[in-house]
Amino acid sequence: MSPQQVQTFFSTLRAANPRPQTELEYSSVFECLAAVLLSAQATDVGVNKATRGLFALANTPAAILALGEEGLAHEIRTVGLYRTKAKNLIATCRILLEQHGGEVPRSQEALEALPGVGRKTANVVLNVAFGEPTMAVDTHIFRVSNRTGLAPGKTPLAVEQALLKRVPNEFLVDAHHWLILHGRYVCQARKPQCERCAVHHCCDRKLET
């Protein structure tokens, strides 16, 4: 995409959805972190079903730590890889209490030091919970960036760096959400819905019928 096409691409997405939001349900920064940690290789719908019960029972690092690993695993048993996630979330809660006063840190380095939190998860938390202009490249963003010609790259990190350079500043905070939602509901993996895509005129891929 040319710079003008990139501008048009995001202007169009913004016009259709001025205030995009994550589909994960949360009511605090810690709940956001926990939900994102649980969402790896799982759907937002599935995570929300699990966290509604979990957060009603325990929604702070201390409360989740009090559940213990087995108690937490029971609450999130419907989520994929729940035993590993329970172990990581318990360890994360312990670190938050011991090293951060029970608060979620606001730095990439400190977030990535938490068990189960990689670069993508850290970027999601920084963007969603703190409003930082980060770019968390998941499978949807990776696909959309490459397929459309927006920010081609062979690795998620390469795509992240390309997006941060190519996306105009006015769109950066919300770009992560627009791209995920576009990939989830329109520019889908198996059959992209090109015929109803509002930004197909900016795309490198020819319109499919």
Side-chain angles (χ1 to χ4, degrees):
M1 286 189 200
S2 67
Q4 182 56 51
Q5 286 175 313
V6 173
Q7 182 76 29
T8 300
F9 181 90
F10 283 105
S11 293
T12 303
L13 294 179
R14 180 172 63 185
N17 186 5
R19 290 184 175 83
Q21 302 292 325
T22 178
E23 293 185 325
L24 288 172
E25 297 172 0
Y26 69 97
S27 59
S28 69
V29 175
F30 173 72
E31 285 187 6
C32 178
L33 171 63
V36 177
L37 190 154
L38 295 177
S39 71
Q41 298 182 50
T43 65
D44 288 357
V45 171
V47 171
N48 289 338
K49 287 180 180 178
T51 57
R52 283 172 199 146
L54 172 63
F55 293 157
L57 181 66
N59 68 344
T60 66
I64 285 184
L65 199 58
L67 287 178
E69 191 174 321
E70 284 302 315
L72 176 58
H74 177 76
E75 293 299 324
I76 63 170
R77 64 192 181 281
T78 56
V79 177
L81 305 175
Y82 73 97
R83 289 201 175 276
T84 297
K85 291 175 181 178
K87 180 179 180 180
N88 285 335
L89 184 51
I90 287 290
T92 283
C93 288
R94 185 172 291 111
I95 292 173
L96 291 179
L97 289 167
E98 293 176 355
Q99 300 180 21
H100 301 286
E103 300 295 322
V104 177
R106 193 170 178 167
S107 79
Q108 181 100 31
E109 183 180 11
L111 284 168
E112 287 191 44
L114 299 172
V117 177
R119 185 178 184 87
K120 184 181 75 172
T121 297
N123 278 334
V124 172
V125 173
L126 288 170
N127 179 262
V128 174
F130 295 118
E132 299 285 348
T134 58
M135 197 66 63
V137 178
D138 68 351
T139 55
H140 296 301
I141 294 182
F142 187 79
R143 179 176 66 255
V144 170
S145 297
N146 277 286
R147 180 184 278 168
T148 62
L150 170 62
K154 293 183 178 180
T155 66
L157 180 58
V159 169
E160 176 188 333
Q161 292 171 337
L163 284 168
L164 290 173
K165 290 179 181 177
R166 302 209 73 205
V167 178
N169 288 337
E170 64 180 296
F171 303 118
L172 264 179
V173 170
D174 293 319
H176 162 251
H177 293 304
W178 284 319
L179 292 172
I180 284 180
L181 294 171
H182 190 63
R184 184 173 291 165
Y185 297 112
V186 181
C187 195
Q188 298 170 333
R190 293 188 178 181
K191 183 169 174 55
Q193 307 296 305
C194 300
E195 71 282 355
R196 66 182 187 87
C197 176
V199 289
H200 67 83
H201 55 290
C202 302
C203 181
D204 279 358
R205 187 183 181 93
K206 291 183 179 179
L207 182 64
E208 295 193 359
T209 57

